[in-house]
Amino acid sequence: HSHLLELLKRTTVHGESNSALIIGPRGSGKTTLLNHVLKDLREMNQVRENLLEVHLNGKKNPFLSGLLQTNDKVALKEITRQLQLENVVGDKVFGSFAENLAFLLEALRRGNRSSSCPILFVLDEFDLFVHHKNQTLLYNLFDISQSAQTPVTVIGLTCRQDILELLEKRVKSRFSHRQIYLMNSFDFKEYIKIFKKQLSLPAEFPNEAFAQKWNNNVQHLSEDKTVQDVLQRLFHRTKDLRSLHLLLVLAVSAVTVHHPLPTAADLQEASRQHSSDSRANIVHGLSVLEICLIIAMKHLNEVYDGEPFNFQMVYNEFQKFIQRKAHSMYNFEKPVVMKAFEHLLQLELVQPLERPSARAQREFLLMKLLLDSSQIMEALQVYPNCPTDVKQWAASSLSWL
Amino acid sequence: MNTRQQSKLIYSWYGKPLSSDRKLRTSQYKGILITSESTKTETCIQLGDFILVEGVNADQPYVAQLMDLYEDGAQHKRAVVQWFCRLEEIPQNKRKLLKREISAQEVFFDQILGYDTDIAAETIIKSIVVLPLHLGEELPIVTLNKEQTFYVKQSWDGKCFKVLSPDTFSKLKEANKKKGVITNSSKAFIPSDTFTPVKKETETVLCSATKTKNADMEMESKHSASKSSLAKDRHSQRVANNDIKTPTARKKLELNSPTRSKGRLLGCEVLGLLDDDCDAIAPLKPSATKRKVKFTGDVLGSPPKIPCSNDKPKSTSETAKQHQSFSDTLRLSPYTKIKDCSEKDKNLHEKGNILSPVGYQKPSSQSPVMTPRSRRTCAQKTSALIAEQISLLKSYGKLAAEEDVLSGSDSSYSSSSEEEEDDDVPCTPEKKTKSSRIFSTPKSSRKSAVHTPAKTLKKTGTPRTPRNATPEIPRRLQAAQEPASVLEEARLRLHVSAVPESLPCREEEFQDIYNFVESKLIDGTGGCMYISGVPGTGKTATVHEVIRSLQQAAENDELPPFQFVEINGMKLTDPHQAYVQILEFLTGQKVTATHAAVLLAKLFSTPGPKRKTTVLMVDELDLLWTRKQNVMYNLFDWPTQKHSKLIILAIANTMDLPERIMMNRVASRLGLTRMSFQPYTYKQLQQIISSRLKGVKAFEEDAVQLVSRKVAALSGDARRCLDICRRATEICEFARQKRAPEIVRMAHVTEAIDEMFSSPYVNAIRNASLHEQIFLKAILAEFQRAGVEEATVQQIYHHHVALCRMEGLQSPTVSEIMAICSRLGACRLLLVEASSKYLHMRVRLNLGQDDVMYALREE
């Protein structure tokens, strides 16, 4: 933080040009950090404003997001807009991309270290700018930052660790190689602290008594064994703080007037919701026939070691089961089974290997099952009113022998 | 002005050869006849005329004065010219020397020696008018012939602007006057005191008195005709806007003022001729100087001349005021005589105005005598210097405004306005209706005078909005802080943008490039050079340095002047944009890429008379690659043209670029002049840093050495080296807040290097969550099992579950595994397929297995 603050301060105060990259996994607070630094910086500028009454708008912050600026052309237009250079141009129509680029470069070239106002370029999702043709924008930005023109600071935000390898060699040479890595390097104790801080009410909360009560409860929660278990599991899975937020929101949303304080049970419930397997959930809602088809597919997978199958194979497998074993199952007609199969296809539990073509018959399209056998077994355990012989069949493909 | 349409022109000599040199088999002529086949019109251009010469840019032909015409041994028609240069031909950086705005109509008297003044006569397009003006004067409002009238105020010798010397000024003026006469009466050949051989002939013409008279009569009539037309013209103008009128009159004053005594005298020469004619006593062959003397004598001793000047009686109904005005003008002229045409002049002029009411009565007695004479002088001058008078309009408008504003007292104000009224009269003496109009309505004219200041002020006050607004980043409102400490100073110097005085360790390359360009410059030929080297080895910087020193040499007249154009492949959006940029640099035109290519090809393939050598630097050459390679082909083809005078310095990273991507025909044109910049060795890097840090004690010797060794081992990129040093100063500064080491030590440098070169992956893996680490372990296990460096998520999932069981952890669900996988994929620790394949998505490691093992084992 202090590093970045220092860097930006130098740009504004000394008119020095710089470039830096902030690299960190998703949810590690890159943007938050930058915004925080900018806030601090603005406060400082305000201090200066009070003292000298000159620094009216010391900074412009073109925030460029790679997701919005899909190519250099759009990005350039956006920069121009944000720098408020349009008014200079007046009625001059912005024609080609080339003209635009030349215009902007000209604009930036005019300035020098001491007189012109420093500019901060923030490139969000920096990795997307890398894919622009020839990396023209990046080259030019870095080139400006490396030459005696208008002072600029280029800050890129990205989550890709290999970003430097994506830069072209000339662009790379111009980049100052100032990288700030953000990692979630805290351990579980700190994680608990963060949890407490996130959940507790701030001091400004109007109802002081309630805040006191709530905060005490949070303190209790953090010491509770089950809560710690839940958190530990989440922590082991991911250190991303956003997932913690999600979990807490789920838990806190259970709070009502009659149930004013969140309990460990709430948290557990939230965690269960949070970590449940989406595909397994889908399996819960299937009919018995569909489950049977899935089981047949599972057996096929086991027999042929993950080779793709087609509907006919699944149907034959299903027929075998019906004829030999099943007494509780009604022998469905083939079109009905086909319908059930198509439903599975729509739910994307089954995926065709290639696009369905008009020529190939639907029965013989090669398919793959998108479920793991463990998922199927788990789902069967909780499936209500499942016939026993189906369960037996699922457990062993040879059970009918 | 379209030269292409005039392609069917026949050039033939006008008259017989004046003199011929048998030995050289050249013969000189006094004029050239241009006959257009299509329109059947003949144009005769005489020596001393101003002409347009075909140039680089079809829209902007060169301006020149014809000095000599001859036919050389090979029957080629040649012409010797005196160049004028347009503003566009003056380099951008010199334009600011002018410190004023230049209109498109203004040209500069060219005194650059480098240009070839001997041109082919066929390049002459047509004749034009070039009027000399004084520096302080504003350009006149041109009413007719806007295209063909130019003004010259200053001379340009390649380095600085100078006010025209009186000699050249008079010459120009004379040529101008002659020209006016010629255009007026194409048949009547008016003698003039030129130094050309024409003189004799024309003077013999003069000898016959009757003929002269005829000519004079004719001339007179022509003058009056032109005058009246002008008067009408002006009258209409006057009607249109009153405020212009007064300046017109005022300008008259300036004309009389002998700040341009030469010009005036010259203008009076015609008058003298007329006088001669009337008196029939003047010598027939007076030398120019003699005549001048005589004329001044005339002015001084005007009373004896009364009768003869009275031949042409003027209106007798002239009021006293009018006489006063003449006396005024006469009186004013001595005032201005003393002064230059600078601002001082204005002030004094003003003084004169204030003084004028006092002296109104005094000269009135004398003035009637003088009037006709001065009147005639005026008349002559009007005819000779029509356009010039108009040209002075503006400056006088301004002057008047200034005066009026400055003069606080009522009397002076009225005097000035009165004066303005009066001055109207002499400027159009023939038009009695007008003068009477003015006198009959003095109030209205006064009114106009009153209006004048406001209007002119407004005119000058509104800043003209330039058409091509140059964008500018808003200025910072607070001055940038100067570096306070040693470390800050060092950091500033270490910034890549800080340009050092000299480039250490690149002396050899510098010398090579310098010699190459210098030799080509001296020879006036073209050539290519290819410069290669990895990024950050100072290619661009060295070339810039070379150009800078060459420019310095050119300024000291050690080398012929040249233009420097720079294009950068990275700064172009499309390779074809290169043409546009080059053309814009050279001529300032903005056209489309295809048109620019055509224009450039024409420019470089045809011989241009005033062509400077162009040094073109093409940075990042490889980006100019197109499938047909026509951009590169053209670039390298131009220097091989005979007349191109183009030197190309191409810069790229790879040494074998010509062989690798260029077609044979392009590579062959590029030639074999190659140079490669080797990466810096550690000693060189060390020298670079220490040279930048000269005088600042901020770094330990060992620290510098460490940095340079480290960088040299990796890439030899000087930029990287400087960046590390800069970072080290920051770290040092940060550390200093606790203790107080004022110097960058080894520890700081090591820290900076670690920061820059440390592999991010290991750190990222160590900071990953437990399950992410287990997932990576599972991947490794799967890879080992299968022996293939690729696995599906399903396979890894089984391993993951097994590992979790071993560790005694709750195994995650498939959804969670997918989330983990995508997170690692986003960080590019893993390479993953599109997630629609779900469990069958294939996964690959983005770093070596050993690295992962190492990172995981540490825990």
Side-chain angles (χ1 to χ4, degrees):
Chain A
H1 170 221
S2 63
H3 179 182
L4 190 66
L5 181 66
E6 189 66 22
L7 188 80
L8 292 179
K9 205 165 78 188
R10 255 183 295 117
T11 308
T12 40
V13 178
H14 297 280
E16 209 176 278
S17 290
N18 276 309
S19 50
L21 272 179
I22 305 176
I23 305 173
R26 301 226 178 271
S28 54
K30 303 179 289 291
T31 316
T32 321
L33 170 75
L34 189 71
N35 284 336
H36 195 68
V37 168
L38 286 182
K39 204 179 111 211
D40 286 3
L41 213 60
R42 283 203 197 96
E43 275 165 15
M44 282 166 52
N45 275 353
Q46 235 131 44
V47 169
R48 208 175 305 139
E49 198 174 68
N50 293 338
L51 288 173
L52 298 166
E53 290 180 285
V54 273
H55 224 289
L56 286 173
N57 55 351
K59 297 174 71 62
K60 313 254 187 252
N61 301 325
F63 246 101
L64 301 171
S65 171
L67 289 169
L68 295 177
Q69 273 73 42
T70 47
N71 62 23
D72 281 354
K73 197 172 174 176
V74 184
L76 274 183
K77 278 208 178 126
E78 182 66 12
I79 292 174
T80 327
R81 191 186 66 71
Q82 294 195 12
L83 286 178
Q84 296 170 344
L85 282 172
E86 295 155 306
N87 49 6
V88 181
V89 205
D91 53 342
K92 190 182 165 197
V93 182
F94 256 135
S96 60
F97 175 32
E99 217 173 294
N100 214 332
L101 180 68
F103 171 79
L104 197 71
L105 288 179
E106 174 69 16
L108 293 173
R109 200 174 300 130
R110 299 205 144 242
N112 58 19
R113 195 183 75 85
S114 49
S115 65
S116 39
C117 178
I119 302 170
L120 172 68
F121 289 98
V122 179
L123 306 179
D124 211 349
E125 305 294 341
F126 186 80
D127 44 330
L128 295 176
F129 285 97
V130 169
H131 297 306
H132 294 172
K133 191 191 162 219
N134 280 351
Q135 307 188 347
T136 313
L137 180 75
L138 293 182
Y139 178 90
N140 286 314
L141 284 181
F142 285 142
D143 201 38
I144 292 162
S145 81
Q146 296 259 308
S147 55
Q149 298 172 357
T150 305
V152 295
T153 293
V154 184
I155 295 196
L157 306 178
T158 183
C159 64
R160 288 185 65 162
Q161 307 281 343
D162 61 344
I163 189 70
L164 284 180
E165 279 136 59
L166 296 176
L167 291 175
E168 218 229 348
K169 59 180 184 300
R170 289 168 276 221
V171 182
K172 198 174 169 184
S173 166
R174 279 168 176 79
F175 171 58
S176 73
H177 284 263
R178 223 179 267 273
Q179 301 146 47
I180 302 167
Y181 289 102
L182 291 181
M183 296 293 168
N184 294 323
S185 52
F186 42 78
D187 61 3
F188 186 63
K189 269 182 193 148
E190 289 168 61
Y191 194 70
I192 294 281
K193 260 184 216 158
I194 294 167
F195 161 76
K196 270 197 282 190
K197 202 172 173 200
Q198 291 287 340
L199 211 56
S200 47
L201 287 170
E204 303 93 66
F205 194 73
N207 190 343
E208 220 168 282
F210 181 74
Q212 189 79 31
K213 220 162 115 192
W214 175 278
N215 288 346
N216 279 339
N217 184 43
V218 170
Q219 183 65 31
H220 273 294
L221 275 180
S222 66
E223 283 154 16
D224 193 78
K225 185 79 183 84
T226 49
V227 172
Q228 280 197 355
D229 268 354
V230 167
L231 290 178
Q232 181 95 47
R233 264 177 54 205
L234 189 65
F235 176 72
H236 279 162
R237 224 176 310 129
T238 170
K239 286 176 168 179
D240 187 350
L241 288 179
R242 274 190 199 147
S243 61
L244 176 67
H245 286 200
L246 269 176
L247 179 78
L248 294 183
V249 165
L250 275 177
V252 171
S253 59
V255 171
T256 57
V257 180
H258 308 292
H259 179 71
L261 297 174
T263 60
D266 286 336
L267 217 57
Q268 249 176 334
E269 172 65 19
S271 158
R272 202 184 54 72
Q273 277 181 25
H274 188 64
S275 61
S276 61
D277 189 341
S278 56
R279 301 265 164 161
N281 286 346
I282 293 173
V283 177
H284 286 221
L286 294 177
S287 67
V288 177
L289 173 61
E290 283 156 352
I291 293 250
C292 287
L293 287 181
I294 285 176
I295 292 167
M297 287 175 212
K298 175 186 163 249
H299 289 325
L300 281 174
N301 262 346
E302 277 161 14
V303 173
Y304 297 107
D305 193 25
E307 287 296 304
F309 49 84
N310 60 25
F311 169 70
Q312 198 57 47
M313 291 160 81
V314 176
Y315 184 69
N316 287 342
E317 192 75 23
F318 178 62
Q319 282 295 315
K320 274 186 223 164
F321 164 67
I322 294 289
Q323 282 162 14
R324 307 282 169 96
K325 191 79 181 173
H327 309 291
S328 56
M329 285 290 286
Y330 179 74
N331 192 0
F332 294 102
E333 306 238 333
K334 197 177 176 184
V336 178
V337 180
M338 184 71 191
K339 202 78 197 161
F341 188 76
E342 273 173 4
H343 186 226
L344 291 180
L345 198 64
Q346 273 181 347
L347 288 173
E348 288 198 349
L349 294 175
V350 189
Q351 200 179 38
L353 273 189
E354 61 232 27
R355 307 235 116 239
S357 64
R359 214 172 295 163
Q361 280 183 308
R362 277 181 300 177
E363 290 90 339
F364 304 108
L365 266 181
L366 288 179
M367 301 283 180
K368 266 197 160 181
L369 182 64
L370 290 186
L371 287 169
D372 195 57
S373 56
S374 61
Q375 278 176 296
I376 298 165
M377 297 314 287
E378 239 170 73
L380 271 181
Q381 296 297 322
V382 290
Y383 191 81
N385 311 323
C386 185
T388 342
D389 40 2
V390 174
K391 268 188 187 168
Q392 278 173 4
W393 181 49
S396 161
S397 58
L398 302 174
S399 59
W400 49 271
L401 283 177
Chain B
M1 260 190 214
N2 195 339
T3 50
R4 262 167 275 171
Q5 278 175 7
Q6 291 181 354
S7 56
K8 276 278 177 187
L9 288 179
I10 295 169
Y11 292 82
S12 54
W13 294 123
Y14 177 73
K16 285 181 181 164
L18 297 173
S19 63
S20 53
D21 191 332
R22 294 265 168 82
K23 262 183 204 161
L24 292 170
R25 302 208 326 218
T26 58
S27 40
Q28 294 182 310
Y29 293 85
K30 64 176 184 244
I32 190 165
L33 215 55
I34 304 174
T35 320
S36 167
E37 276 208 333
S38 53
T39 55
K40 297 283 174 206
T41 51
E42 282 193 5
T43 326
C44 177
I45 296 172
Q46 312 261 350
L47 292 185
D49 280 5
F50 297 98
I51 49 171
L52 290 181
V53 181
E54 269 180 54
V56 180
N57 190 336
D59 297 334
Q60 295 205 315
Y62 294 129
V63 180
Q65 187 185 14
L66 198 56
M67 303 307 278
D68 199 3
L69 281 166
Y70 68 95
E71 190 164 87
D72 66 6
Q75 305 284 302
H76 290 304
K77 296 182 177 63
R78 308 290 298 175
V80 177
V81 294
Q82 163 64 51
W83 292 112
F84 290 87
C85 61
R86 290 170 186 263
L87 182 64
E88 289 82 5
E89 294 162 32
I90 293 170
Q92 283 283 3
N93 54 344
K94 302 284 186 184
R95 288 186 197 176
K96 56 179 176 282
L97 288 175
L98 277 169
K99 296 191 182 79
R100 61 192 173 103
E101 288 209 8
I102 303 295
S103 89
Q105 295 291 306
E106 185 164 345
V107 291
F108 298 93
F109 191 79
D110 201 330
Q111 293 183 325
I112 303 173
L113 299 169
Y115 293 146
D116 191 5
T117 54
D118 195 348
I119 59 166
E122 281 79 8
T123 54
I124 297 172
I125 301 171
K126 59 175 163 183
S127 62
I128 44 153
V129 183
V130 176
L131 299 169
L133 294 179
H134 282 290
L135 187 54
E137 295 171 273
E138 287 276 322
L139 289 194
I141 297 164
V142 184
T143 49
L144 56 154
N145 277 1
K146 204 161 192 169
E147 291 276 278
Q148 296 175 20
T149 316
F150 293 90
Y151 305 94
V152 58
K153 283 182 184 174
Q154 285 171 300
S155 66
W156 163 247
D157 63 355
K159 278 194 257 341
C160 54
F161 296 95
K162 282 179 195 144
V163 179
L164 288 178
S165 67
D167 195 32
T168 45
F169 196 90
S170 65
K171 270 187 211 165
L172 289 175
K173 202 140 196 174
E174 190 178 355
N176 222 332
K177 189 181 62 195
K178 211 174 57 173
K179 154 110 193 143
V181 170
I182 287 162
T183 45
N184 274 349
S185 52
S186 54
K187 286 286 179 304
F189 206 63
I190 298 305
S192 56
D193 297 324
T194 45
F195 26 80
T196 56
V198 198
K199 199 170 160 188
K200 266 187 187 168
E201 207 181 62
T202 53
E203 274 166 359
T204 47
V205 176
L206 234 183
C207 277
S208 60
T210 50
K211 227 179 178 180
T212 327
K213 223 170 197 170
N214 281 348
D216 275 343
M217 291 299 276
E218 210 172 309
M219 206 174 93
E220 190 69 16
S221 63
K222 281 274 149 59
H223 283 332
S224 56
S226 66
K227 232 178 287 173
S228 61
S229 71
L230 176 86
K232 260 181 216 160
D233 199 63
R234 207 174 298 153
H235 184 65
S236 61
Q237 223 176 53
R238 195 170 300 210
V239 173
N241 48 346
N242 261 339
D243 63 322
I244 291 175
K245 176 184 65 185
T246 39
T248 331
R250 294 196 137 249
K251 179 188 49 186
K252 192 75 203 132
L253 280 174
E254 178 95 349
L255 267 182
N256 285 345
S257 73
T259 38
R260 40 173 64 192
S261 57
K262 287 257 177 174
R264 183 190 167 207
L265 283 173
L266 286 166
C268 292
E269 264 172 64
V270 182
L271 173 82
L273 263 175
L274 277 174
D275 281 340
D276 292 348
D277 174 37
C278 293
D279 295 346
I281 48 158
L284 287 174
K285 281 190 201 173
S287 69
T289 45
K290 243 187 194 171
R291 201 172 282 213
K292 271 174 205 164
V293 171
K294 188 182 169 292
F295 182 72
T296 41
D298 276 0
V299 172
L300 291 172
S302 47
K305 282 251 162 116
I306 305 164
C308 72
S309 50
N310 273 347
D311 298 13
K312 298 199 172 144
K314 304 294 149 180
S315 67
T316 48
S317 64
E318 277 164 352
T319 57
K321 253 187 185 174
Q322 206 173 344
H323 301 316
Q324 278 167 15
S325 83
F326 283 114
S327 67
D328 219 37
T329 54
L330 285 176
R331 227 170 27 72
L332 275 171
S333 42
Y335 265 112
T336 42
K337 201 180 266 173
I338 315 158
K339 293 293 157 188
D340 288 339
C341 49
S342 59
E343 278 187 18
K344 264 186 197 168
D345 179 27
K346 280 186 190 171
N347 293 336
L348 206 88
H349 207 93
E350 193 191 336
K351 225 184 263 173
N353 278 338
I354 296 163
L355 284 170
S356 59
V358 190
Y360 258 150
Q361 258 62 46
K362 257 195 270 171
S364 58
S365 56
Q366 207 190 357
S367 55
V369 188
M370 309 263 294
T371 311
R373 250 218 76 72
S374 56
R375 209 162 227 267
R376 268 187 60 180
T377 326
C378 293
Q380 293 301 325
K381 272 178 201 153
T382 342
S383 64
L385 304 164
I386 291 166
E388 210 175 342
Q389 291 180 351
I390 303 169
S391 79
L392 291 165
L393 263 168
K394 238 190 178 169
S395 71
Y396 259 86
K398 229 186 224 169
L399 190 61
E402 214 172 301
E403 276 172 359
D404 288 343
V405 168
L406 284 171
S407 59
S409 67
D410 234 359
S411 63
S412 69
Y413 182 77
S414 66
S415 81
S416 71
S417 66
E418 245 169 11
E419 193 185 39
E420 274 161 87
E421 278 166 39
D422 300 345
D423 292 347
D424 273 332
V425 186
C427 89
T428 55
E430 248 77 25
K431 270 258 167 182
K432 262 153 228 149
T433 48
K434 196 182 285 167
S435 58
S436 64
R437 181 184 73 88
I438 286 163
F439 285 108
S440 62
T441 58
K443 261 181 192 167
S444 71
S445 74
R446 186 176 292 229
K447 215 178 191 176
S448 76
V450 173
H451 276 292
T452 314
K455 272 199 180 167
T456 44
L457 266 185
K458 203 170 149 199
K459 218 184 218 170
T460 51
T462 48
R464 246 181 249 156
T465 46
R467 223 182 325 154
N468 287 337
T470 40
E472 203 170 346
I473 299 295
R475 315 243 96 195
R476 63 184 294 149
L477 298 161
Q478 189 195 27
Q481 259 182 33
E482 288 305 310
S485 71
V486 181
L487 285 173
E488 279 173 15
E489 171 73 31
R491 200 164 52 227
L492 201 64
R493 291 203 195 180
L494 285 171
H495 197 276
V496 184
S497 68
V499 182
E501 300 86 44
S502 68
L503 295 169
C505 311
R506 284 288 177 237
E507 290 87 3
E508 258 177 58
E509 285 85 354
F510 175 85
Q511 205 54 45
D512 280 1
I513 301 173
Y514 188 91
N515 289 345
F516 174 81
V517 179
E518 191 187 31
S519 65
K520 298 280 178 195
L521 273 178
I522 291 169
D523 297 349
T525 53
C528 295
M529 187 174 202
Y530 177 73
I531 301 165
S532 65
V534 293
T537 46
K539 300 179 294 297
T540 313
T542 309
V543 172
H544 274 293
E545 188 73 18
V546 167
I547 296 299
R548 207 164 58 209
S549 51
L550 282 172
Q551 267 164 349
Q552 209 133 39
E555 248 169 57
N556 300 337
D557 286 331
E558 289 156 21
L559 281 174
F562 65 96
Q563 289 169 293
F564 176 58
V565 181
E566 181 187 355
I567 56 172
N568 188 331
M570 266 295 197
K571 291 178 181 172
L572 302 172
T573 49
D574 178 75
H576 296 280
Q577 288 291 327
Y579 296 132
V580 180
Q581 292 224 336
I582 296 172
L583 192 72
E584 204 182 327
F585 268 116
L586 287 179
T587 64
Q589 286 173 304
K590 269 197 172 178
V591 291
T592 58
T594 43
H595 189 203
V598 173
L599 285 178
L600 281 174
K602 191 182 162 215
L603 170 68
F604 287 121
S605 58
T606 52
K610 284 166 69 162
R611 173 88 48 75
K612 277 193 214 170
T613 306
T614 309
V615 180
L616 174 65
M617 171 178 147
V618 185
D619 214 345
E620 317 291 0
L621 179 73
D622 47 339
L623 286 168
L624 292 183
W625 185 87
T626 51
R627 215 164 55 77
K628 287 176 79 181
Q629 309 198 346
N630 43 3
V631 176
M632 281 206 251
Y633 178 85
N634 279 336
L635 275 181
F636 298 128
D637 195 30
W638 291 329
T640 60
Q641 306 273 343
K642 195 179 157 202
H643 305 288
S644 61
K645 289 191 179 178
L646 179 69
I647 303 167
I648 291 188
L649 300 171
I651 301 177
N653 289 131
T654 38
M655 205 155 72
D656 56 345
L657 187 80
E659 286 75 29
R660 215 154 38 84
I661 68 165
M662 287 185 196
M663 287 183 211
N664 283 337
R665 54 166 185 262
V666 179
S668 119
R669 275 170 176 79
L670 175 58
L672 289 168
T673 322
R674 307 256 174 99
M675 163 170 290
S676 74
F677 278 62
Q678 298 302 321
Y680 289 112
T681 62
Y682 83 89
K683 275 195 179 146
Q684 289 172 325
L685 285 174
Q686 204 175 339
Q687 201 181 333
I688 289 169
I689 298 176
S690 45
S691 78
R692 281 193 178 229
L693 288 176
K694 209 171 278 169
V696 180
K697 187 84 188 91
F699 271 81
E700 254 180 12
E701 273 302 308
D702 290 349
V704 173
Q705 192 168 347
L706 176 68
V707 173
S708 39
R709 271 182 192 275
K710 198 91 184 174
V711 174
L714 278 166
S715 61
D717 188 338
R719 287 198 191 102
R720 186 72 56 83
C721 197
L722 295 174
D723 279 332
I724 292 176
C725 290
R726 246 153 43 87
R727 180 73 192 115
T729 59
E730 278 167 30
I731 294 171
C732 176
E733 203 167 60
F734 192 68
R736 198 189 54 185
Q737 288 166 358
K738 298 158 205 159
R739 283 159 283 120
E742 263 286 335
I743 191 162
V744 180
R745 293 184 192 287
M746 289 285 265
H748 303 128
V749 172
T750 329
E751 199 181 330
I753 291 173
D754 281 349
E755 211 171 85
M756 287 203 179
F757 294 112
S758 69
S759 165
Y761 294 115
V762 174
N763 211 353
I765 290 172
R766 282 185 192 163
N767 284 307
S769 70
L770 188 61
H771 273 293
E772 283 163 355
Q773 286 174 351
I774 292 173
F775 189 79
L776 287 172
K777 276 182 197 162
I779 290 172
L780 288 182
E782 175 60 29
F783 284 175
Q784 273 168 3
R785 186 191 69 85
V788 190
E789 299 236 325
E790 200 177 72
T792 64
V793 175
Q794 194 165 19
Q795 291 162 333
I796 299 164
Y797 173 67
H798 291 300
H799 279 278
H800 190 118
V801 172
L803 280 172
C804 284
R805 239 173 252 146
M806 261 159 53
E807 302 255 336
L809 292 164
Q810 199 176 0
S811 58
T813 58
V814 179
S815 286
E816 283 162 358
I817 287 291
M818 294 305 293
I820 288 169
C821 186
S822 68
R823 258 204 304 279
L824 291 175
C827 295
R828 285 299 187 278
L829 286 170
L830 300 179
L831 297 174
V832 292
E833 276 186 319
S835 61
S836 67
K837 286 198 170 178
Y838 200 55
L839 279 178
H840 302 290
M841 176 165 83
R842 275 183 296 236
V843 173
R844 196 183 283 187
L845 277 176
N846 196 25
L847 63 165
Q849 288 190 27
D850 298 341
D851 289 352
V852 181
M853 294 250 253
Y854 167 76
L856 291 173
R857 201 183 49 221
E858 286 286 302
E859 301 257 320

